[in-house]
Amino acid sequence: MRACILISVVGILVSTASGRPGPGFAPKDVVGRVRQVHTGKPRPGLDDGEFLIDTSIQYVAASGYQYDPAVAFDGVNFLVVWVDWRSDSSNGIYATRVTPQGAVLDPFGIVVSTAGSEQQCPAVAFDGTNFLAVWVDNRDSGDDVFAARVTPQGIVLDPTGIVVSNATGAQSSPSVAFDGTNSLVTWTDCRNDPSGDIYAARVTPQGTVLDPSGIAVSTAAEAQSSPTVAFDGVNSLVTWTDRRSDPYEDIYAARVTPQGAVLDPSGIVVSAAANTQECPFVAFDDTNFLVAWYDTRSTNYGDVYAARVTPQGTVLDPSGIAVSTAAEYQIAEDVGFDGTNFWVFWDDNRGGSSSDIYAARVTPQGTVLDPSGIPVSTAGGDQYNSAVALGGGNLLVTWEDYRNNPYEPDVYAARVTPAGTVLDPQGILATLAIGWQEYPAVAFDGANYLVSWTNGRSDSTLAVYAARVTPQGAVLDSTVIAISTAPGWHSDPAIAFDGTNYLVTWMDYRNGAYGDIYATRVTPQGAVLDPSGIPVTTDPSDQLYPTIAFDGTNYLVTWMDDRGGSSYDIYAARVAPDGTVLDPSGILVSAAADYQMYPAVAFDGVNYLVTWMDYRGGSDYDIYAARVTPQGTVLDSSGISVSIASNDQLYPAVASDGANLLVSWTDERSDWQGDVYAARVTPQGSVLDPSGIAVSTAPDVQWYPDVAFDGANFFVAWQDYRSGSTFDIYCARVSPAGVVFDSGPVVRQAGDQVGPALARGSGNQLFLAYEGWAGTVGDKTYNTNRIWGKMNAAPGVAETMNDELGTLNIGPTIVRGMLRLPLSQFTVHTSLFDMTGRQVMALHSGPNDVSRLGAGVYFVRSEPSAVSREPPAVHKVVIAR
């Protein structure tokens, strides 16, 4: 049982800015990448040929924020429920079972609800058959109370949730207790008064809400909030914070029968001492209730007080029992009963520097057995929001814990005996997860691909791993390759191949607060030749987000660098195939005014083209570029303005077709949410498309394109939010002449797919790697983001083996093998042309064998006779592999 507490001194730092996780900063919130992940909405998709790169399992502290736990016992195991922000886009309600011996049974977490938007303030109770978890839910753009039943086996019976209350106004701070027949859910309700009343509803074990309009427990003047509830075998006691005696809060209560009748409509005054009493918690000992609360009668910091209340509603301790009056503040957080004594748990700041979890036993006669308190958890960092349940002869107390990260809490637990012994003084990490993965990179060595990624090991450690993948999609490394596992953050790898080995480079924080760029060589057999890493640059400032290309002799590694101290510039260094850094001081590619960030690089056969997002205008980001020779000379020190359209242009990618380069980026000229644009740049630095090529201007968000050349056309892939619920991977082809075609979805699995990375293999094969949600895949449950792969990704449009050409306003015809032409009797000549306008085949009515032609876009031109008086007709045909 747990209710949500909202106290200013116990705030949780949560940022919803579009900031990239990890160290560093940027001048505008649009600069950081947004790592969107699972929303829990399964939906139909292509699901055709996608596969996980790494199927190994290693448990770590879950990413993001896990906080505000609640706990209940089913007679066999505990169920711990919490708020989980492992997604940057929305949070959810997760759970895990914990045995009385302290074993975490669901280390990947049970997804109770990830319905989109926000779910907050969970509470949980056991009804004799299943657990009932309740929470505040914002899926419908308003705070409502939802619930779901969870079996003792960890199965969620109501994955879409049960609507307990969606009345007008906000509903918040739910609590729940089982009364022997139904569960009574209570909450703060603003339907009649924006300051809040107390409402309740009964929910049957079958999940039926018996009181859909709610039971008005208290609608007194001013605010009533933060209710909690316990059952005494006859009635439930609901207790809450009450401000009817403004300006100070008091503690009130009321009894509610199993039939939903409120026996004390005016409320029972539990405590109306001087100053503030708020946020009560309640438990029953088979004789009386004990209500405990936060109390400022003696100090501005606050103490913990309690009072016993009989089943008849009599307050036995009207002056209150001083449970803890230690230095600084103590904030009551939960109450339990162990069969002999009550237990009161609180957040304690007596040390003055951090908050810890303390407890004290209170006898049924109201005597405090532990006036100095029992330290349950005094680990480094803060511990807040404890919750408790009795089971297996001991108490299990859970709390949110900041020992691993001062900004991202985890949920810990500990068993405590009735005698006051803490069995798990270091705590049990309840919010485990399988290591998450993000930011893939991929390259081809002539035989296989190497995929590298950032791997989450804990809230404070990221590592870089890799695996080889065959052109047939087989993963060669069941034990993944450890690229960089030194202490600290290692992330955002980039890869290129030199004909003998790969060079993998990444952002590295092993040396302290500032990022460096490191690299290592990896053989085609998967051996890491430089296990300690090659320091490409370790200047005493931030070097971030490297990219890499190979020119036939050396590599060029580029990055953003703030060694100037006031803004980021673009730097580079050449690295020889033997790992020697040829430019240890770096090559200054661009030091224009303000910020230059997130470079990308490709080699065109003569020079490199380095492109980046540039803030030199001081109002919006643009896309700039510069050529760098293989000798390290920057040919365009002032930069080439690739796109200076209105608003922001962000996150470029670049590839060469052997004649020109195609730069693609996220563009906000017409939509602040972002579209995908591109432009061709010649080896001489001329921009052929100064207005840009609109690759995708679909509704909503298109972000973070990557681009590769498949031997015939450029292939641009990006993450796309046009569905309005999750990110998918979309793509389009762009011809060397700058024509966009074949735009459509590539991956539409459940959850989000983001961060596409492309590499060309043999012939015109393309390999797509991306970050995507992995729930249960095969016989394994991951419930986190992993790196996926897909060979020969192509837009998801309808295909046919023998399609017939229709009229000019239909979409392209996609064929394999044979093309059938339904030509008119007036047609005298028909030809097939490629994208350059070259005739490649004369056609005739009936089947035409086009299997000898390469995959790509073609056009059928039919010439009618003069008597028909019809113009020539042109139809687009896509010949698929």
Side-chain angles (χ1 to χ4, degrees):
M1 185 266 296
R2 179 88 173 97
C4 183
I5 310 175
L6 299 177
I7 298 177
S8 61
V9 295
V10 192
I12 296 170
L13 176 61
V14 177
S15 173
T16 57
S18 301
R20 180 176 177 114
F25 73 96
K28 299 178 71 178
D29 62 2
V30 297
V31 171
R33 295 186 194 175
V34 178
R35 181 166 57 88
Q36 305 269 1
V37 292
H38 179 51
T39 65
K41 294 181 180 178
R43 58 197 180 88
L46 302 183
D47 297 332
D48 179 20
E50 298 91 357
F51 58 93
L52 283 175
I53 303 297
D54 177 16
T55 57
S56 65
I57 289 177
Q58 179 176 355
Y59 296 116
V60 301
S63 64
Y65 307 84
Q66 290 77 43
Y67 59 94
D68 204 11
V71 60
F73 187 67
D74 67 4
V76 178
N77 297 306
F78 298 93
L79 186 73
V80 181
V81 183
W82 65 87
V83 180
D84 199 297
W85 274 88
R86 67 187 67 190
S87 163
D88 284 346
S89 57
S90 64
N91 65 355
I93 304 300
Y94 276 62
T96 189
R97 294 168 298 154
V98 179
T99 71
Q101 293 74 39
V104 178
L105 297 179
D106 310 289
F108 46 78
I110 299 167
V111 180
V112 178
S113 176
T114 53
S117 193
E118 294 185 11
Q119 290 82 48
Q120 300 277 1
C121 301
V124 63
F126 185 67
D127 67 10
T129 302
N130 298 305
F131 295 97
L132 184 72
V134 300
W135 64 89
V136 176
D137 198 296
N138 194 251
R139 72 182 69 182
D140 295 323
S141 300
D143 289 337
D144 302 317
V145 177
F146 273 67
R149 294 168 299 154
V150 181
T151 71
Q153 294 74 38
I155 298 170
V156 179
L157 297 178
D158 310 289
T160 60
I162 301 165
V163 180
V164 178
S165 176
N166 60 358
T168 58
Q171 289 82 48
S172 62
S173 304
S175 182
V176 60
F178 183 63
D179 69 8
T181 303
N182 301 303
S183 295
L184 184 69
V185 181
T186 68
W187 64 87
T188 304
D189 194 295
C190 297
R191 71 182 72 183
N192 300 315
D193 184 343
S195 62
D197 297 316
I198 304 301
Y199 271 70
R202 295 166 297 157
V203 180
T204 71
Q206 293 74 38
T208 301
V209 179
L210 297 177
D211 311 290
S213 298
I215 301 166
V217 178
S218 177
T219 58
E222 300 298 333
Q224 290 81 49
S225 63
S226 302
T228 55
V229 60
F231 182 65
D232 66 9
V234 178
N235 298 307
S236 297
L237 185 73
V238 180
T239 181
W240 65 87
T241 301
D242 196 296
R243 198 163 179 162
R244 69 183 72 181
S245 300
D246 189 65
Y248 296 112
E249 291 87 353
D250 300 313
I251 303 301
Y252 274 67
R255 295 166 297 157
V256 179
T257 71
Q259 293 75 38
V262 179
L263 299 179
D264 310 288
S266 297
I268 301 165
V269 181
V270 178
S271 178
N275 297 332
T276 294
Q277 293 80 48
E278 63 182 355
C279 297
F281 295 89
V282 60
F284 186 68
D285 71 355
D286 298 330
T287 302
N288 297 307
F289 296 96
L290 185 75
V291 182
W293 63 86
Y294 168 74
D295 196 299
T296 65
R297 71 181 70 183
S298 302
T299 173
N300 290 330
Y301 289 109
D303 299 316
V304 176
Y305 274 72
R308 294 167 298 153
V309 180
T310 70
Q312 294 75 36
T314 301
V315 179
L316 299 178
D317 310 288
S319 297
I321 302 165
V323 178
S324 178
T325 58
E328 300 294 332
Y329 66 77
Q330 291 80 46
I331 300 173
E333 293 180 335
D334 207 359
V335 180
F337 181 67
D338 68 11
T340 302
N341 296 305
F342 290 105
W343 281 78
V344 180
F345 289 84
W346 68 87
D347 160 26
D348 196 297
N349 193 245
R350 68 184 66 185
S353 59
S354 63
S355 296
D356 301 313
I357 304 300
Y358 272 69
R361 294 168 294 167
V362 180
T363 70
Q365 294 75 36
T367 301
V368 179
L369 298 180
D370 311 287
S372 297
I374 299 168
V376 176
S377 177
T378 58
D382 288 316
Q383 290 85 46
Y384 297 132
N385 288 349
S386 56
V388 65
L390 175 71
N394 296 312
L395 297 150
L396 185 74
V397 57
T398 69
W399 64 90
E400 66 185 68
D401 194 300
Y402 291 79
R403 72 181 70 180
N404 297 320
N405 187 311
Y407 304 109
E408 297 186 359
D410 302 305
V411 172
Y412 274 73
R415 296 166 299 152
V416 183
T417 71
T421 301
V422 179
L423 298 178
D424 310 288
Q426 301 304 313
I428 301 163
L429 178 59
T431 49
L432 292 167
I434 294 171
W436 70 97
Q437 299 169 349
E438 57 192 2
Y439 309 133
V442 61
F444 186 66
D445 66 11
N448 299 303
Y449 298 92
L450 184 71
V451 183
S452 186
W453 63 87
T454 303
N455 209 103
R457 292 304 188 194
S458 72
D459 280 345
S460 58
T461 302
L462 298 175
V464 176
Y465 282 77
R468 295 168 300 149
V469 180
T470 71
Q472 293 74 39
V475 179
L476 296 176
D477 302 293
S478 57
T479 300
V480 295
I481 303 165
I483 299 295
S484 177
T485 58
W489 290 68
H490 308 265
S491 66
D492 292 80
I495 315 174
F497 184 68
D498 66 11
T500 302
N501 297 306
Y502 295 98
L503 188 71
V504 182
T505 182
W506 65 90
M507 185 170 67
D508 194 298
Y509 278 80
R510 72 181 69 184
N511 295 322
Y514 295 104
D516 300 317
I517 305 300
Y518 273 69
T520 189
R521 295 166 297 155
V522 181
T523 70
Q525 293 74 38
V528 177
L529 298 180
D530 311 288
S532 297
I534 302 165
V536 178
T537 177
T538 57
D539 189 84
S541 57
D542 263 330
Q543 291 85 48
L544 308 172
Y545 310 127
T547 57
I548 188 172
F550 184 68
D551 66 11
T553 302
N554 297 305
Y555 297 96
L556 187 72
V557 180
T558 69
W559 63 88
M560 52 187 273
D561 193 303
D562 77 341
R563 68 183 68 185
S566 60
S567 62
Y568 285 102
D569 300 315
I570 303 301
Y571 272 72
R574 295 168 300 151
V575 180
D578 65 0
T580 301
V581 179
L582 301 178
D583 308 289
S585 299
I587 301 166
L588 179 58
V589 178
S590 177
D594 283 305
Y595 292 84
Q596 291 78 49
M597 310 182 77
Y598 299 111
V601 61
F603 185 67
D604 66 10
V606 177
N607 297 306
Y608 295 99
L609 186 74
V610 182
T611 181
W612 63 88
M613 48 188 278
D614 194 299
Y615 199 66
R616 69 182 67 185
S619 59
D620 297 305
Y621 282 95
D622 300 313
I623 302 300
Y624 273 71
R627 295 167 298 155
V628 180
T629 70
Q631 294 74 36
T633 301
V634 178
L635 298 179
D636 309 288
S637 56
S638 298
I640 302 164
S641 57
V642 178
S643 177
I644 54 172
S646 61
N647 301 332
D648 286 314
Q649 288 82 49
L650 310 165
Y651 315 117
V654 61
S656 173
D657 66 4
N660 296 307
L661 300 110
L662 187 75
V663 180
S664 185
W665 63 87
T666 300
D667 195 297
E668 297 182 349
R669 71 183 69 185
S670 58
D671 183 348
W672 282 102
Q673 293 176 310
D675 298 317
V676 175
Y677 271 69
R680 295 167 297 151
V681 181
T682 71
Q684 295 75 36
S686 296
V687 178
L688 298 179
D689 311 288
S691 298
I693 301 166
V695 178
S696 176
T697 58
D700 222 303
V701 173
Q702 290 82 48
W703 277 343
Y704 309 128
D706 196 21
V707 59
F709 184 67
D710 68 6
N713 299 292
F714 293 101
F715 190 92
V716 183
W718 64 89
Q719 63 188 60
D720 194 299
Y721 203 71
R722 71 183 68 183
S723 71
S725 59
T726 58
F727 276 100
D728 304 309
I729 304 296
Y730 273 66
C731 74
R733 290 186 172 90
V734 181
S735 75
V739 178
V740 179
F741 59 99
D742 287 355
S743 181
V746 176
V747 182
R748 290 186 299 183
Q749 297 163 293
D752 285 316
Q753 297 86 50
V754 298
L758 295 164
R760 179 186 176 186
S762 297
N764 55 10
Q765 184 183 61
L766 287 177
F767 178 47
L768 169 68
Y770 61 94
E771 172 191 346
W773 176 259
T776 298
V777 182
D779 60 351
K780 294 182 179 180
T781 298
Y782 301 89
N783 280 355
T784 190
N785 268 29
R786 306 286 276 186
I787 301 303
W788 294 75
K790 185 170 185 175
M791 294 294 176
N792 290 324
V797 294
E799 298 186 4
T800 177
M801 292 298 292
N802 292 288
D803 206 350
E804 293 189 349
L805 293 177
T807 60
L808 285 174
N809 60 0
I810 66 168
T813 298
I814 299 180
V815 299
R816 291 189 179 95
M818 304 300 293
L819 171 64
R820 185 180 298 276
L821 300 176
L823 300 180
S824 154
Q825 61 175 319
F826 299 109
T827 300
V828 296
H829 184 71
T830 304
S831 299
L832 190 69
F833 296 85
D834 65 16
M835 289 290 294
T836 68
R838 180 176 62 92
Q839 180 176 322
V840 295
M841 182 180 290
L843 302 174
H844 55 82
S845 180
N848 290 267
D849 184 1
V850 294
S851 62
R852 66 179 178 84
L853 298 177
V857 175
Y858 297 83
F859 296 93
V860 174
R861 179 183 173 90
S862 58
E863 296 280 356
S865 64
V867 297
S868 72
R869 297 184 178 181
E870 295 179 1
V874 179
H875 302 268
K876 181 179 177 181
V877 174
V878 177
I879 297 178
R881 286 177 285 270

